[in-house]
Amino acid sequence: MILSQKNTLTEDITAARKEGFTSDFMFRNGRLTCRTNNKDYTAEDCTLIEYCRHEGMNDPSDSSILFLIACNDGIKGCLTSAYGVDADTELIEFVMSLPKANG
């Protein structure tokens, strides 16, 4: 495992970068878009490697979730989202529908 709830979100992103998850993804129009190569990926193109929720240090309701995603063309990157009441439910549903690594 790369991610740890003992770490801050920033620490986990740094750890992920060291493990080769160097791209950043954003979610739009039901697809992931890689900010590095501007390529769109469907759910069929991606695998969910790992994810971890983080709570804000001063406000536990300030929750975020970090997803590590690998694409079938070798691109590996991070996707972050709010979690809880502020979550983008379409994004969360998309990512949780991805095939899981080792499973």
Side-chain angles (χ1 to χ4, degrees), residues 21-50:
F21 291 85
T22 56
S23 294
D24 293 310
F25 293 107
M26 62 184 167
F27 182 75
R28 64 178 179 200
N29 301 323
R31 297 172 181 252
L32 291 182
T33 300
C34 177
R35 294 176 189 252
T36 306
N37 64 12
N38 207 32
K39 183 175 177 183
D40 288 338
Y41 296 93
T42 66
E44 292 78 26
D45 299 323
C46 304
T47 300
L48 177 60
I49 304 301
E50 191 176 343

Side-chain angles (χ1 to χ4, degrees), residues 2 5-6 15-16 18 20-21 35 40 42 44 50-51 68 70 73 76 86-87 92:
I2 299 167
Q5 287 184 317
K6 294 178 183 178
K18 289 178 183 175
F21 291 85
R35 294 176 189 252
D40 288 338
T42 66
E44 292 78 26
E50 191 176 343
Y51 66 94
L68 301 185
D73 63 357
K76 295 190 320 183
D86 295 322
I92 302 291

